[in-house]
Amino acid sequence: MDIDRIAVHESVAKACPLEAMVAALQGSDVPVEAVGDDASFDAGDCVVTFSPRDVFLDAAWVHGIRAGYDEFDVAAYETAGTALTNSTGIHGDTVPETVVGYLTAFARRLHVYRDRQGDADWTHEPYEAPFTLTGERVCVVGLGTIGQGVADRAAALGMDVVGVRRSGDPAENVERVYTPDELAAAVGDARFVVLCCPLTEATEGMVDAALLETMRDDGYLVNVARGPVVVEDALLAALDAGAIAGAALDAHWEEPLPETHPLWDHESAIVTPHVAASTNRYHEDIAALVQENVERATRGESLRNRVA
Ligand code: NAD
C-alpha cells in the first residue's frame, strides 16, 4: 500500500484539537492536511477520523481514532477493499484510571459530598454507607486493553477480581475467568460490574433486566463500553427500585445524553459525557499508531489494529 497523503478529517476535533493532530502526524515524508466534508479521496490516501463518512471508502486506508468501530460499516470496507484500523491499545491507562475514580467515589461517597458542597452542607452519609474497595469483588466484563487495565488497578487496591472473556483463558490479576455464557454467575457476587467489551451483536442488550436482577442490591454497574450494551429502561427501573445501588455511565444510548434524561439528576448515578479516555496527549497516542502503520504500509507489511 503506497500512502502519499494523510488526510485528517475535521471530526477528530470531537476527541482532540484538529491542529494538534495534524501537527503530531507531521514528520514523515508523507504530507498531512486537515480536510472537511467537501474533500474527496483516492487510492493514495490514509484518512484519520473520529466519525465515518461514505466517501472514505475511496481511500486506501481509514484509521478510526477510537477503540470502538461499531459506527463503521465493516462489510462495506471489505467490499470496497479499503483497510480500516481502530485505536485499540492506547486506552490502557486513561479509561481504567477513570474507572478507579468511579469505584472510589461510590465506596468513599465522594460524589455525594461533591453534590452537597455548593450548599456548604456538612451532613455526613449514614454510618453504613461508606466502605472500602479492599476486599470487595469486581467483575470485569471484557479483558482487553481496558479490562486488563481495570483488573491490574483493582488488584493493586486489594480487590477480589473476577472477569469475563470469550476464551475463558486465565488473565493476569484475575482470580477467576468466566465465559460469556456464565455472565450471570460472574456478576452474582460482585460489588462492582465493569463493562469493558465492544458493542457487537453478542453484547448489545447484554445487561438486561434479568442480569440486573442477578446483581447484588448493593452492587454498582460501570459502563465505559458503549451505551447499547445495557438495556436503558431496565437500568433506569433497577436504579429507581434500588435493585442495584448505583451506576457510573460514560457511554450512553444517545450522545449527547438528552437534557431531559432522568439519569442527569439521579442520585445513584454518576454521569460523564463519554470522556473516560480523554487525555491531553490523545493526539500523540493516535499519531504514534498511525505513523507505525504508515511505516508498515511502506514496507508492505500488514497494518496493526486492522479490523477490515
Ligand atoms: P480491546 O479490543 O482491547 O478489548 C475488548 C475485549 O472485549 C476483547 O478482549 C474481546 O475479546 C472482549 N469481548 C468481546 N466480546 C465479548 C463478550 N461478549 N464478553 C466478554 N468479552 C468480550 O478493546 P479496548 O480498547 O479494551 O476497548 C473496549 C471497548 O471499550 C471498545 O470497543 C469501546 O467500545 C469501549 N471504549 C470506550 C471508551 C470511552 O471513552 N468510554 C474508550 C475506549 C474504548
Side-chain angles (χ1 to χ4, degrees), residues 67 88 91 142 144-146 164 166 180 196-198 203 224-226 250 274 277:
T88 293
H91 304 109
T145 306
I146 294 172
V164 179
R166 287 178 297 184
C196 305
C197 54
T203 63
V224 288
R226 285 287 183 267
D250 188 57
H274 208 138

Side-chain angles (χ1 to χ4, degrees), residues 166-228:
R166 287 178 297 184
S167 66
D169 289 344
E172 207 172 331
N173 288 322
V174 183
E175 285 164 37
R176 176 158 180 198
V177 176
Y178 296 81
T179 49
D181 58 314
E182 300 171 313
L183 184 61
V187 305
D189 292 332
R191 192 74 191 266
F192 297 96
V193 175
V194 183
L195 305 175
C196 305
C197 54
L199 174 62
T200 63
E201 277 179 18
T203 63
E204 184 167 2
M206 185 175 76
V207 180
D208 57 9
L211 195 79
L212 289 162
E213 183 61 34
T214 310
M215 281 179 63
R216 286 166 52 162
D217 58 9
D218 63 354
Y220 294 86
L221 180 72
V222 175
N223 188 5
V224 288
R226 285 287 183 267

Side-chain angles (χ1 to χ4, degrees), residues 56-78:
F56 295 165
L57 291 169
D58 295 336
W61 156 37
V62 176
H63 180 79
I65 67 166
R66 311 168 83 187
Y69 54 97
D70 42 278
E71 291 178 12
F72 287 81
D73 183 348
V74 172
Y77 277 80
E78 276 162 4

